[in-house]
Amino acid sequence: QSQRLFPVASEGILGEIVKRIDKSGVKPDPVLGKTLDRRAPILVPFQEWKTALKKRLYGEAPFQSAMMISIRSENGTWGILTLFHRSQIFSQKDLKLLEFIGEKISFLLETMTSWETLSKKMETLSMAQELSRSIVKGGSVVIPTLLNGVKTLLRASNCYLLLMDEQKNLLYGVAASHHAPEGISEVEIRMEENGIVPLTVKQNHYMVIENALSDIRVGKKWVEHFRSRSLLSVPLVARERVMGVLLIDETAYFRPFTSAEIETVVGLAPSAAIAIDMAIKYQEALQRQERQDHLSMSIYHTHEQELRRTALSFGNGTGVLLEQTRKQIKSAGEALPLEQMDSGSLRQFFQSG
């Protein structure tokens, strides 16, 4: 089995041993395997513990015995609680006490897990509400709210959004969470590639890559630029089509995303897809309105300029006509004083002129 145990807390063990085990863990030997399989505690005299794992766990210290019990819950086995003694063999009374302690620890861990699950559900609900509020406000904050929310919810390093361009048959980077490496907007991934993002779209299913350095589904350029160690990709489906991919990126360590973490993001994805789709439509509507406003203003200015040119032309023609009339009146006045002409004569003069 690939199952390994890692230390959570210790007392009385050399620090260098704890560091060594914490780095790579230990693979259960028959003694630890027996403990994991049983609910009751077991007593292990050190003389009967023949495997090399005993030395890895306890070093050269002269211990006489150890007693172990598996820490269990309804969802499975958490690990093993071990006590050891330097000078004597543990008694049956000690085993009963260890059993009691193990039950209390199991109850405590299960309660903590329930609270953590409830807390994550509340965070997911809060994020969904925030997405709804951002849509009402206009959609401009939907994508940042989503990416930063998912990053915080999973305590991941970064979160990226890539959208589908069906005409060009590729996915292009749109945005990233805060403090992510720059350059996501320059990313274009063609659908014919066999990478994690295109495969997520084709299969319409989430994908997990624990070791991005050795997995051929993650491009070398991506790893070099974004420093990814582990990736979780989730499809975003709106109006019965995959519109993009939500990519959660862990850069600090090789991370085996848990089923609970995957379930959280997958559960949030439908709401996120609808929110993003509505935000995109909102932006497209704004752009159409801006284009219409620009066209209307262009038509208005063009019409105004035409009116101005017409008015100027009309004004120039009227000025010439008035100047000609003034000269005619002046000539007539010299031939016949204007005050001697009645209105009928003036009308006749203008009609003849």
Side-chain angles (χ1 to χ4, degrees), residues 89-236:
I89 303 295
F90 286 108
S91 65
Q92 291 297 318
K93 184 178 179 180
D94 295 328
L95 290 177
K96 286 291 184 181
L97 178 60
L98 180 64
E99 185 176 10
F100 175 79
I101 294 173
E103 290 175 355
K104 297 304 179 184
I105 293 177
S106 296
F107 175 78
L108 178 61
L109 289 174
E110 192 164 343
T111 303
M112 290 172 61
T113 302
S114 299
W115 274 109
E116 184 178 3
T117 302
L118 179 61
S119 176
K120 286 188 175 181
K121 288 182 178 179
M122 293 298 294
E123 290 179 7
T124 303
L125 178 61
S126 176
M127 189 188 306
Q129 291 174 342
E130 183 65 26
L131 287 172
S132 300
R133 285 193 294 268
S134 63
I135 293 172
V136 173
K137 292 177 182 178
S140 60
V141 295
V142 168
I143 292 176
T145 298
L146 170 66
L147 299 182
N148 293 317
V150 172
K151 172 186 172 180
T152 302
L153 194 62
L154 266 64
R155 297 178 178 84
S157 301
N158 306 300
C159 186
Y160 301 101
L161 174 64
L162 297 98
L163 293 180
M164 186 72 192
D165 187 333
E166 295 181 350
Q167 293 183 346
K168 296 182 179 180
N169 197 36
L170 57 79
L171 290 115
Y172 59 95
V174 174
S177 56
H178 290 331
H179 310 302
E182 297 181 356
I184 187 62
S185 59
E186 300 175 5
V187 171
E188 290 187 352
I189 304 175
R190 304 202 65 83
M191 280 299 296
E192 57 263 27
E193 297 180 18
N194 288 321
I196 179 174
V197 174
L199 290 174
T200 300
V201 175
K202 293 175 185 177
Q203 300 174 11
N204 191 12
H205 195 273
Y206 72 85
M207 295 187 67
V208 178
I209 291 181
E210 186 172 343
N211 189 342
L213 300 181
S214 61
D215 200 306
I216 60 173
R217 293 171 295 177
V218 183
K220 187 177 180 180
K221 290 183 179 179
W222 176 281
V223 172
E224 290 177 351
H225 181 79
F226 294 101
R227 304 295 180 185
S228 300
R229 292 296 176 268
S230 301
L231 293 166
L232 166 62
S233 65
V234 179
L236 298 171

Side-chain angles (χ1 to χ4, degrees), residues 6-74:
F6 291 85
V8 175
S10 64
E11 183 67 31
I13 302 296
L14 293 177
E16 59 184 30
I17 294 177
V18 176
K19 288 181 180 179
R20 184 173 63 248
I21 299 173
D22 187 51
K23 184 177 181 180
S24 58
V26 294
K27 194 172 182 179
D29 66 354
V31 173
L32 296 185
K34 180 181 178 182
T35 305
L36 289 170
D37 292 337
R38 293 182 55 178
R39 290 186 175 274
I42 66 171
L43 176 63
V44 184
F46 264 46
Q47 295 178 352
E48 299 177 8
W49 197 354
K50 304 293 185 179
T51 68
L53 181 59
K54 179 178 72 172
K55 185 176 181 179
R56 285 195 63 195
L57 291 175
Y58 304 105
E60 300 292 344
F63 297 114
Q64 293 298 316
S65 65
M67 58 178 181
M68 308 176 183
I69 188 170
S70 60
I71 305 300
R72 295 172 174 269
S73 71
E74 293 181 357

